[in-house]
C-alpha cells in the first residue's frame, strides 16, 4: 500500500517537473513583438535577424532577444549657452524629435535598427553633442537681433547638418526647434529701455507732426478767412462808393452845386455817426468843433470821431450857424 502511494506521489512530482520544463521551453521559444517595435535576435552571440510586430518563435538556449528597439518618434530637450556676433551670451532651449531609421537598406546589417543598436553606445547623447556643436558654430555669425529674427532658419540649418551625421548611426532627426532664447538680466533691461526710448521718440514725432498739421490747417483757414474778409471789405467800400456817387448825383439833380452837395452829404454822414455814438451810452467823451461850414474841418471831425471807436458819449454841441 505504501509502495503504491509512493509511486503515485513520485509520478505526480515527475509530471509537475515535465510541465515546468515544457512551460520554460515554451516561454523561451515563442514571443510577441508589439506594434512600432522591432526585436534583434542573436544566435550564439552573433546577429541573426530582425523581427517586426507579431508572433514569433526562436530556438531556446541558442537564440536570444538581444534588444527591443522602439520605432516611435521620441523627443529630447536640452539647454546650451552660445555667444552672438555682438558678444552677448544667450541661453537656448533646444528640442529635438527623432526616431530610428525605417530604412532597411540592402540587408539587415544596413538597416536603421541594426545601426542604432550596434554602431553607437549612447546615440542620444551623441546627437545632443552634434546639435550643440552645430549651434555654437552657426550662432556666432549672427547678432542678437538676427538670432531672434532668424531662429527658425538657424534651427533648420542645424537640423539638416545633424541629420546627415546621425543617419550613419541609424537615426532620423525629424526636427530641431529653438523653443526659447534666454537673455542675461542686464541685456534684457537694456533692450527694454531701448524699446521704450524708441516708442517715446516715435510718439513725440507723431505729436509734433500732428501739431504741425494743426498749425498749417489753422494758418490756411486764417488766410482764407482774411481773404474772404478782404473781399468783403472791398465789396463794402465799393458799395459805399457807389452809394455816395448815387446820392451826390441825386442831390445835384435838384440844382444844388457840387460844393454844397458835398457839404450836405458830409453833414448827413456826420449826423448819422453822432446818433450811433449817442445810442451807446458809454462814458468816453469826444469834443468836436461846432463850425460845420468848413468842409475840411468837417472831414477831420468825422475821422476823429471814427477813430474814437464804438461806445463814445457825445456831449451837447452848439447850434449850427
Amino acid at each position: 500500500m505504501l509502495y503504491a502511494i509512493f509511486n503515485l506521489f513520485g509520478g505526480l512530482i515527475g509530471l509537475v517537473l515535465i510541465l515546468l520544463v515544457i512551460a520554460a521551453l515554451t516561454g523561451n521559444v515563442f514571443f510577441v513583438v508589439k506594434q512600432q517595435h522591432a526585436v534583434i535576435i542573436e544566435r550564439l552571440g552573433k546577429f541573426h535577424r530582425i523581427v517586426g510586430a507579431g508572433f514569433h518563435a526562436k530556438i531556446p538556449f541558442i537564440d536570444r532577444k538581444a534588444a527591443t528597439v522602439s520605432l516611435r518618434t521620441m523627443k529630447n530637450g536640452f539647454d546650451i549657452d552660445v555667444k552672438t556676433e555682438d558678444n552677448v551670451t544667450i541661453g537656448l532651449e533646444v528640442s529635438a524629435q527623432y526616431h530610428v531609421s525605417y530604412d532597411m537598406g540592402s540587408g539587415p546589417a544596413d538597416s536603421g535598427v541594426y545601426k542604432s543598436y550596434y554602431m553607437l553606445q549612447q546615440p542620444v547623447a551623441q546627437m545632443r553633442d552634434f546639435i550643440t556643436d552645430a549651434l555654437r558654430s552657426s550662432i556666432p555669425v549672427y547678432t542678437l537681433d538676427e538670432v531672434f529674427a532668424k531662429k527658425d532658419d538657424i534651427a533648420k540649418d542645424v537640423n539638416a547638418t545633424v541629420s546627415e551625421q546621425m543617419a550613419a548611426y541609424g537615426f532620423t532627426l525629424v526636427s530641431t526647434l529653438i523653443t526659447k532664447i534666454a537673455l542675461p538680466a542686464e541685456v534684457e533691461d537694456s533692450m527694454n529701455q531701448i524699446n521704450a526710448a524708441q516708442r517715446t521718440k516715435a510718439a513725440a514725432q507723431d505729436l509734433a507732426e500732428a501739431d504741425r498739421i494743426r498749425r498749417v490747417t489753422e494758418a490756411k483757414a486764417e488766410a482764407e478767412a482774411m481773404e474772404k474778409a478782404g473781399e468783403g471789405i472791398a465789396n463794402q467800400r465799393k458799395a459805399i462808393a457807389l452809394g455816395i456817387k448815387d446820392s451826390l448825383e441825386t442831390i445835384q439833380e435838384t440844382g444844388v452845386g457840387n460844393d454844397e452837395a458835398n457839404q450836405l452829404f458830409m453833414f448827413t454822414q456826420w449826423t448819422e455817426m453822432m446818433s450811433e455814438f449817442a445810442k451807446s451810452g458809454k462814458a468816453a467823451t469826444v469834443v468836436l468843433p461846432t463850425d460845420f461850414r468848413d468842409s475840411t474841418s468837417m472831414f477831420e471831425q468825422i475821422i476823429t470821431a471814427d477813430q474814437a471807436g464804438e461806445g463814445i458819449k457825445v456831449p451837447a454841441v452848439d447850434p449850427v450857424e
Side-chain angles (χ1 to χ4, degrees):
M1 182 66 178
L2 292 175
Y3 180 77
I5 294 174
F6 179 78
N7 287 337
L8 179 61
F9 183 73
L12 291 174
I13 292 175
L15 180 61
V16 170
L17 292 176
I18 293 173
L19 292 175
L20 290 174
V21 170
I22 293 174
L25 292 176
T26 302
N28 199 25
V29 172
F30 303 106
F31 62 96
V32 175
V33 180
K34 296 180 180 180
Q35 184 66 36
Q36 285 299 101
H37 288 77
V39 172
I40 298 175
I41 302 297
E42 291 181 345
R43 177 166 291 177
L44 299 177
K46 182 180 179 180
F47 171 77
H48 177 58
R49 61 194 173 105
I50 298 173
V51 295
F55 180 78
H56 302 278
K58 61 183 180 63
I59 301 174
F61 307 113
I62 296 177
D63 294 341
R64 77 178 187 93
K65 294 190 293 183
T68 300
V69 179
S70 175
L71 301 178
R72 291 181 295 181
T73 299
M74 294 167 282
K75 173 182 174 297
N76 195 345
F78 55 96
D79 301 332
I80 63 171
D81 294 329
V82 294
K83 182 178 286 188
T84 62
E85 185 183 24
D86 42 359
N87 291 322
V88 178
T89 300
I90 59 177
L92 300 181
E93 289 186 6
V94 182
S95 177
Q97 286 78 39
Y98 61 95
H99 61 76
V100 173
S101 176
Y102 304 139
D103 186 13
M104 295 303 296
S106 58
D110 296 325
S111 67
V113 175
Y114 180 94
K115 293 179 180 179
S116 67
Y117 180 71
Y118 288 106
M119 297 192 66
L120 199 59
Q121 181 67 30
Q122 295 179 330
V124 175
Q126 185 62 55
M127 180 180 62
R128 292 179 58 176
D129 291 343
F130 282 147
I131 293 176
T132 299
D133 181 68
L135 284 171
R136 285 179 175 168
S137 298
S138 60
I139 293 293
V141 303
Y142 296 100
T143 63
L144 179 60
D145 291 337
E146 290 174 340
V147 171
F148 277 96
K150 300 181 179 180
K151 72 179 186 67
D152 292 337
D153 295 333
I154 295 171
K156 289 179 181 178
D157 293 340
V158 169
N159 189 80
T161 300
V162 178
S163 291
E164 294 180 1
Q165 296 170 325
M166 292 302 297
Y169 301 106
F171 284 89
T172 298
L173 188 59
V174 178
S175 65
T176 302
L177 304 175
I178 299 176
T179 57
K180 184 179 179 180
I181 301 175
L183 300 176
E186 60 274 12
V187 174
E188 189 170 355
D189 291 341
S190 298
M191 291 183 67
N192 290 335
Q193 291 175 7
I194 292 172
N195 255 345
Q198 290 175 342
R199 292 179 183 275
T200 302
K201 179 181 177 182
Q205 290 175 341
D206 291 342
L207 290 174
E209 180 65 15
D211 185 63
R212 184 189 70 80
I213 294 174
R214 180 183 61 79
R215 290 175 180 272
V216 170
T217 303
E218 290 177 353
K220 288 182 179 180
E222 184 177 357
E224 292 177 357
M226 293 178 66
E227 181 180 356
K228 296 298 181 182
E231 292 177 357
I233 292 173
N235 292 332
Q236 182 185 22
R237 290 176 178 175
K238 182 178 179 181
I240 292 173
L242 292 175
I244 293 173
K245 178 182 177 182
D246 294 340
S247 298
L248 289 175
E249 289 177 353
T250 302
I251 294 172
Q252 289 173 355
E253 288 177 357
T254 62
V256 178
N258 289 336
D259 293 340
E260 294 175 343
N262 287 332
Q263 291 178 3
L264 178 59
F265 178 76
M266 294 179 65
F267 179 76
T268 301
Q269 293 291 99
W270 181 86
T271 302
E272 292 178 355
M273 177 192 68
M274 297 302 291
S275 298
E276 292 296 327
F277 287 163
K279 292 177 181 178
S280 65
K282 301 297 182 180
T285 302
V286 176
V287 179
L288 299 174
T290 59
D291 186 2
F292 300 111
R293 290 172 297 181
D294 187 356
S295 61
T296 303
S297 176
M298 278 292 297
F299 184 68
E300 291 176 352
Q301 295 170 19
I302 293 173
I303 292 176
T304 302
D306 182 62
Q307 289 178 346
E310 182 182 359
I312 300 176
K313 182 178 180 182
V314 180
V317 295
D318 296 336
V320 178
E321 296 179 359

